[in-house]
Amino acid sequence: ELLAKKYIIAAGVLGRAGLEEHLRKLSHRNSCTPPGRPTISDLNNALYKQGTLDKLSMQSVLTMAMAGNHCAHNNSPPLSEADVSKFLADVRAFLIRCPLS
């Protein structure tokens, strides 16, 4: 919805938040949540080391996190609408590939 209304950065930030929350829940369900306040990278590494994520999925999360962080920190130049659209599609595909159930 945000992307359709041209709120490109906001769409990217929410996509990043969704990815992070999914990783947090996934690590909790697999009993591998790092201590403290883990980042996307911490959660990704824990899930990979535990065996929930394969190497390709782990690398995919790193790529998605970079795009999400670019939006969250409002880096210049901003990501294009096409880049954020691809990022959101990648997040959706990851959520399907790595469900919580």
Side-chain angles (χ1 to χ4, degrees), residues 12-24:
V13 171
L14 285 179
R16 177 187 177 272
L19 175 64
E20 184 172 14
E21 185 61 21
H22 187 78
L23 291 170
R24 190 175 317 285

Side-chain angles (χ1 to χ4, degrees), residues 38-73:
T39 64
I40 288 177
S41 181
D42 297 331
L43 295 165
N44 189 35
N45 287 333
L47 288 163
Y48 174 68
K49 287 179 184 175
Q50 190 264 349
T52 300
L53 297 181
D54 61 20
K55 191 165 190 164
L56 184 60
S57 294
M58 188 252 319
Q59 291 294 330
S60 176
V61 169
L62 288 175
T63 301
M64 289 184 286
M66 287 184 349
N69 287 338
H70 192 91
C71 292
H73 299 289

Side-chain angles (χ1 to χ4, degrees), residues 74-87:
N74 202 16
N75 292 339
S76 290
L79 293 181
S80 69
E81 183 176 352
D83 290 335
V84 174
S85 180
K86 181 180 179 337
F87 163 61

